Amino acid sequence: MKLTNDGFPSVRPYCIVEGGEHFIAFLVRSFDAEEMKRHLTPSGDKIMHAEIRIGDSLIAASDASEACQQAPNTIHLYVRDTDDCYRRALEAGARSLNPPADKEYGERSAGIVDPFGNTWFLATPLGPRSE
């Protein structure tokens, strides 16, 4: 299937949070994310739109506003080391849903809730993926 989105993925999470700058810092600290783009509101005090790269994916984010309130998301994130990302996320203010464990479906998985109410399921494949 050929995509016609000018290089953009068909699906991209968009996180609307109270405290966008702190959200981006959480992603950088927990998941080795890299901020790619940031546009501020005309007053310069809030993030109107930001793009953050985690691995080979992009997440968009903005500060909550009267028109767009904070809304929690649930994201499944493949990482190189579930245990390390889980530990760093907790150190950055997340709370645990479930600690890292090997799962019968072939992943080492853990769950956290970030300080902004988003749920993250962190996973590392235990072996080669089957089709």
Side-chain angles (χ1 to χ4, degrees):
M1 172 165 54
K2 184 173 177 160
L3 298 178
T4 59
N5 300 335
D6 295 327
F8 289 99
S10 296
V11 176
R12 178 171 41 168
Y14 203 106
C15 299
I16 300 171
V17 298
E18 296 286 343
E21 184 145 346
H22 298 292
F23 177 70
I24 294 168
F26 173 84
L27 298 179
V28 169
R29 183 172 178 194
S30 301
F31 310 131
D32 294 325
E34 178 185 3
E35 183 177 343
M36 306 301 291
K37 187 182 293 187
R38 183 186 293 203
H39 298 282
L40 300 177
T41 57
S43 61
D45 63 336
K46 291 191 177 231
I47 296 172
M48 185 168 35
H49 177 80
E51 295 179 3
I52 306 97
R53 180 178 304 285
I54 302 176
D56 62 359
S57 298
L58 283 177
I59 290 180
S62 69
D63 275 303
S65 67
E66 190 173 314
C68 295
Q69 300 295 310
Q70 178 167 303
N73 295 284
T74 299
I75 300 170
H76 189 272
L77 176 63
Y78 284 106
V79 296
R80 290 182 199 259
D81 185 335
T82 296
D83 295 73
D84 181 56
C85 285
Y86 174 82
R87 177 189 53 78
R88 289 188 292 140
L90 294 183
E91 289 173 355
R95 70 175 170 81
S96 176
L97 283 178
N98 54 287
D102 293 349
K103 302 296 185 174
E104 63 279 355
Y105 48 83
E107 295 178 350
R108 182 150 181 87
S109 181
I112 61 152
V113 177
D114 71 24
F116 311 90
N118 301 299
T119 300
W120 297 81
F121 292 106
L122 312 174
T124 304
L126 292 172
R129 290 248 184 239
S130 61
E131 294 297 320

